[in-house]
Amino acid sequence: MMDTQVLYPVALPELEALSARAATVIGRLRDRVYAPGTEKTLDLRFNVRSAAEMVGRSEKLIRDAEADGRLPEPAKDDETGRRTGYSLAQVNRMREVFGTLPIRAETDVPAVVAVQNFKGGVGKSTVVTHLAQFFALKGYRVCVIDCDSQASSTAIFGLNPDVDVDEDEDTLYPFFRHGGPPTLHYALRATYWPGIALIPANLGLYDAEYEFAARMAREQTFVLDKLRSGIETIADQFDIVLLDPPPALGMLSLSVLRAANALIVPAPPNNIDFASTAHFLKMMSATLNEISEVGGARSFSFVKVLATKMNDNKSAHVAIKRMMDAVFARDMMEAVLKDSAEIDNATANLRTVYELTGPATRSETHKRCRAYLDSVGREVETLIRKTWPSHHADLRKEGIL
């Protein structure tokens, strides 16, 4: 039976009312997540066995270093007298003492990795935030630059984009303006994760698109390399810079592509996303070729397609993943980020899987999800280390080179 409901045109006031209702709901959600006293902290603790594995030294060497004063005695529970475990900052201190921090040599070029696809909903921010935390757990110095006005990465790292971030002071926007700051140091923020700094975003960053257009009209310089020059002012502080760009082909996205020296393309194995990824790669190639005629050629140390949101129980996913492996061949990552309720549940609370603690981490679901994420992180880590000559000897010992 056909629906005979009469449809009326929707005027601007109705749209404004609809927007206001949506904003109310979002406000309530954010009030819950960002309520006073809920500031994000990192509650991860590692026992001496886990710490020894992370540091690459024996438990005995750690205890010896504590006994002779090279490392501080770990905190103990007031009631039980048992060790409360080591924080990530303490584990990194151990790495410093034993010389096992994996950081690059000064002569190595920092990895500037864009996680980019022009389609939304492919898991871009999920990949960025989990990669950042994987690298931090390994002891690398990481910077996350949120280039997306939707500010998903910013929110996951504990900042309310509407309250805690001023687009005129804290985001990339001032740097893009004519006469703005000469470096990006003004925007760097420490996070509750040791080893991770953040340049946040909020909705006001979208104005950078208009700023780019205005500057291109009045300046002779190649404006799309502005972000690259900004990253160069802070890159000496980091091993890895992760860029989270907007899901659109605009000035910011092109600037990200010009700034990056490596690229990861997240792509779920379904018809629409596969077609979108193929179109993205074609557009990216054509656009960068055109831009290179003005700004000079740029190259990537690696470009890899990462299958995300993969569900092995869906025959269509399996078939399209097989097609992706055939079409992209050596450009597909071996690791796959599978669809997981663990990631969805964590993201709903503006957290990551790596931040979860307590009984939930002992479930098989969590362990499987953590294994997927670790696999992705290890593969990207290896790709990055291959670009650092100072790591080549170790990679040969590990049988990777």
Side-chain angles (χ1 to χ4, degrees):
M1 184 175 180
M2 293 184 61
D3 188 351
T4 58
Q5 181 181 1
V6 178
L7 299 179
Y8 296 97
V10 179
L12 183 58
E14 283 82 1
L15 288 175
E16 291 174 344
L18 182 63
S19 174
R21 290 197 295 274
T24 299
V25 174
I26 292 174
R28 289 173 181 169
L29 290 172
R30 285 183 168 166
D31 286 345
R32 176 177 63 83
V33 175
Y34 298 112
T38 61
E39 290 78 9
K40 294 189 74 171
T41 58
L42 190 62
D43 298 324
L44 297 179
R45 288 294 181 272
F46 308 96
N47 60 29
V48 68
R49 178 182 298 177
S50 297
E53 292 175 356
M54 295 170 73
V55 173
R57 293 294 184 268
S58 69
E59 296 177 34
K60 181 180 183 305
L61 284 177
I62 291 175
R63 296 189 188 280
D64 288 346
E66 291 170 349
D68 64 26
R70 284 178 293 156
L71 289 172
E73 287 282 346
K76 296 182 180 179
D77 184 272
D78 291 336
E79 294 182 2
T80 65
R82 298 180 61 182
R83 297 183 176 207
T84 58
Y86 301 99
S87 67
L88 179 55
Q90 290 171 320
V91 170
N92 282 337
R93 175 58 185 153
M94 293 179 195
R95 287 168 166 150
E96 290 178 9
V97 169
F98 293 118
T100 60
L101 278 170
I103 59 177
R104 63 181 177 84
E106 290 185 6
T107 52
D108 295 331
V109 176
V112 182
V113 184
V115 180
Q116 191 155 14
N117 196 323
F118 292 161
K119 186 178 185 304
V122 297
K124 183 169 52 67
S125 296
T126 295
V127 173
V128 167
T129 51
H130 283 89
L131 276 180
Q133 294 175 7
F134 172 88
F135 292 137
L137 287 168
K138 291 283 188 174
Y140 293 100
R141 301 165 299 172
V142 184
C143 178
V144 174
I145 304 182
D146 198 345
C147 309
D148 186 358
S149 59
Q150 295 181 67
S152 298
S153 290
T154 297
I156 289 174
F157 275 105
L159 296 178
N160 183 338
D162 299 328
V163 176
D164 300 324
V165 181
D166 186 330
E167 62 265 22
D168 291 321
E169 297 180 5
D170 303 321
T171 72
L172 290 173
Y173 181 49
F175 182 74
F176 290 138
R177 286 187 309 206
H178 180 72
T183 77
L184 286 177
H185 289 93
Y186 75 93
L188 282 175
R189 287 199 184 196
T191 70
Y192 56 95
W193 270 82
I196 300 181
L198 172 71
I199 294 182
N202 68 5
L203 192 59
L205 182 59
Y206 190 77
D207 290 341
E209 295 286 346
Y210 304 107
E211 185 67 30
F212 269 121
R215 293 193 66 172
M216 291 179 74
R218 66 173 177 257
E219 294 183 18
Q220 297 299 314
T221 56
F222 188 65
V223 177
L224 290 180
D225 273 348
K226 180 70 173 173
L227 178 59
R228 178 165 65 94
S229 66
I231 291 174
E232 288 173 351
T233 66
I234 60 171
D236 63 324
Q237 303 176 43
F238 303 102
D239 304 302
I240 301 165
V241 178
L242 294 169
L243 306 178
D244 186 358
L249 180 57
M251 297 296 185
L252 268 172
S253 293
L254 292 176
S255 295
V256 167
L257 287 172
R258 292 284 300 182
N261 56 29
L263 181 64
I264 296 173
V265 183
N270 61 58
N271 284 324
I272 293 176
D273 288 313
F274 175 74
S276 175
T277 299
H279 189 53
F280 161 68
L281 293 169
K282 181 179 179 181
M283 287 180 64
M284 181 186 73
S285 176
T287 303
L288 289 180
N289 278 332
E290 291 180 12
I291 291 174
S292 67
E293 296 178 4
V294 180
R298 292 280 291 160
S299 62
F300 301 109
S301 56
F302 61 84
V303 176
K304 291 290 183 179
V305 178
L306 169 64
T308 56
K309 300 187 175 183
M310 172 78 183
N311 189 332
D312 290 335
N313 294 320
K314 293 183 178 180
S315 58
H317 277 211
V318 174
I320 294 173
K321 175 59 167 60
R322 192 179 300 119
M323 185 188 305
M324 293 168 72
D325 290 335
V327 171
F328 298 128
R330 292 184 304 170
D331 299 318
M332 281 296 296
M333 287 184 60
E334 293 183 13
V336 174
L337 186 53
K338 297 190 178 183
D339 191 27
S340 174
E342 196 79 356
I343 293 176
D344 294 339
N345 293 337
T347 303
N349 291 295
L350 298 181
R351 296 173 67 85
T352 71
V353 173
Y354 285 125
E355 295 175 336
L356 300 179
T357 58
T361 62
R362 293 190 283 273
S363 71
E364 289 303 314
T365 300
H366 177 86
K367 291 176 181 176
R368 282 195 303 270
C369 183
R370 177 69 182 259
Y372 305 148
L373 291 164
D374 287 348
S375 181
V376 172
R378 281 193 300 269
E379 189 170 345
V380 177
E381 179 189 18
T382 298
L383 289 167
I384 290 172
R385 291 179 66 204
K386 285 180 178 180
T387 71
W388 293 339
S390 69
H391 280 236
H392 287 181
D394 287 338
L395 289 172
R396 280 191 286 269
K397 290 178 184 177
E398 297 165 23
I400 295 173
L401 277 183

